[in-house]
Amino acid sequence: MEVEQMSADAMPLPFDPLVDLHGIWTTELAELYLPIPGAPRVKYECLDGYLVMSPYEGSPNGFGMLRLALLIDEQAMRAGNRIYPTVNVEFSPQRWIQPDLTVLKQPIEDLTWIPADLVLMPVEFVSASSRRRDRINKPAECAQAGIPYFMRVEFSKPQAVKVELLELAGDGYKPLATALSGQRFETDVPFPMSFDPAQLLEAWYT
């Protein structure tokens, strides 16, 4: 029995990418091992080799993303830009984010990893599980990469929503346009946008 127990203890543990690749994740490893088989559907982002996982958005955010894309798509297209749902924005092989929406400066074809210099404006819908990253960390990362604009959308109770457009100034972002539901969000850059943030709420259509 002792021999059998020692033999079992000596057996190597099965490979677990979340454990064995902790701190050394790269885009190459991500292509090999993500998504994790059997794991719930999550967003996979990376900060200097450390994987950051967050659940997909709830229905208010998901509905708002769709409506926002529809509201601004035509003007973005006229300006030569393109709006994409979640993509991998790469800052380095060991650092990337997955914005909720991403406005690119031009169309892309068959790219898994989007270089930051192609990004015109990431759009983040703030959620409780990623509030700090959406409000602080991601804007800082995008500013450091020189991405010219950053948009943030945040829902609150009762039915209310805030839209903020930030513009790169120096080494950080400054507010350019802000509106609450019931007001008009207006800007001419990076392309014309004009809408009531309440249009991102399901209640607007009922």
Side-chain angles (χ1 to χ4, degrees):
M1 291 294 294
E2 291 183 1
V3 174
E4 291 180 2
Q5 184 64 45
M6 289 177 60
S7 177
D9 290 343
M11 292 179 61
L13 295 174
F15 174 74
D16 182 345
L18 293 180
V19 175
D20 295 288
L21 301 180
H22 184 67
I24 60 170
W25 281 96
T26 64
T27 54
E28 183 177 1
L29 291 173
E31 290 194 14
L32 289 173
Y33 297 109
L34 297 180
I36 304 296
R41 292 184 68 246
V42 296
K43 293 171 64 175
Y44 295 98
E45 300 177 308
C46 192
L47 180 60
D48 296 332
Y50 291 91
L51 205 61
V52 179
M53 297 183 293
S54 58
Y56 277 87
E57 307 292 344
S59 59
N61 279 10
F63 184 85
M65 290 174 210
L66 173 62
R67 298 312 308 176
L68 179 62
L70 292 173
L71 286 168
I72 68 175
D73 180 64
E74 183 177 351
Q75 295 292 348
M77 293 276 284
R78 287 181 180 177
N81 310 133
R82 295 293 186 270
I83 301 175
Y84 293 84
T86 300
V87 295
N88 302 297
V89 175
E90 181 185 2
F91 303 118
S92 76
Q94 289 193 299
R95 183 185 285 246
W96 70 85
I97 62 173
Q98 294 184 329
D100 295 317
L101 295 173
T102 305
V103 182
L104 298 184
K105 298 174 182 177
Q106 63 192 52
I108 57 170
E109 292 185 9
D110 197 25
L111 281 182
T112 299
W113 304 98
I114 312 300
D117 60 5
L118 292 182
V119 179
L120 178 67
M121 182 179 73
V123 182
E124 288 292 351
F125 281 69
V126 178
S127 61
S129 64
S130 60
R131 186 176 302 275
R132 178 179 175 83
R133 279 188 57 73
D134 292 339
R135 293 190 62 84
I136 300 174
N137 300 56
K138 288 186 183 180
E141 292 167 358
C142 291
Q144 185 176 11
I147 295 175
Y149 299 95
F150 190 98
M151 179 177 281
R152 187 163 52 224
V153 181
E154 188 164 8
F155 293 88
S156 61
K157 296 180 180 180
Q159 294 275 4
V161 59
K162 180 180 181 181
V163 177
E164 298 177 276
L165 176 63
L166 309 176
E167 182 179 31
L168 188 63
D171 58 357
Y173 289 110
K174 67 176 183 180
L176 183 64
T178 302
L180 302 173
S181 45
Q183 301 174 344
R184 199 77 189 166
F185 178 83
E186 297 271 4
T187 181
D188 291 326
V189 294
F191 46 82
M193 288 181 270
S194 177
F195 60 90
D196 182 341
Q199 292 176 261
L200 307 183
L201 299 167
E202 289 186 73
W204 176 272
Y205 303 92
T206 58

